[in-house]
Amino acid sequence: MKKKLGLLLTIGLSALLLVACGNKSKQADTKTPGTLTIGMEGTYAPYAYRAQDGKLTGFEVE
């Protein structure tokens, strides 16, 4: 009985490991391949704020 339970656990864990190592490409989900796009408000100076010309600037933007 213990051998069968051990065998079933080994097979189950092996199957779980193989499923977890699947290769699914996420690149099709991006709008512009190779570009990281981040949204920010620009309301928390000095990290991100709007300059007098209206463009975002600050530590996070730079």
Side-chain angles (χ1 to χ4, degrees), residues 26-45:
K26 293 284 184 181
Q27 191 164 356
D29 295 343
T30 60
K31 291 185 177 187
T32 308
T35 302
L36 177 64
T37 304
I38 300 174
M40 54 181 64
E41 295 179 46
T43 58
Y44 191 61

Side-chain angles (χ1 to χ4, degrees), residues 2-61:
K2 286 186 178 184
K3 287 185 179 183
K4 287 183 181 180
L5 182 61
L7 181 63
L8 285 174
L9 280 174
T10 303
I11 290 172
L13 289 174
S14 298
L16 183 64
L17 180 67
L18 290 173
V19 169
C21 294
N23 186 10
K24 183 176 179 183
S25 176
K26 293 284 184 181
Q27 191 164 356
D29 295 343
T30 60
K31 291 185 177 187
T32 308
T35 302
L36 177 64
T37 304
I38 300 174
M40 54 181 64
E41 295 179 46
T43 58
Y44 191 61
Y47 300 102
Y49 63 95
R50 296 214 177 258
Q52 290 181 353
D53 61 355
K55 293 183 178 181
L56 281 173
T57 188
F59 294 131
E60 291 181 350
V61 178

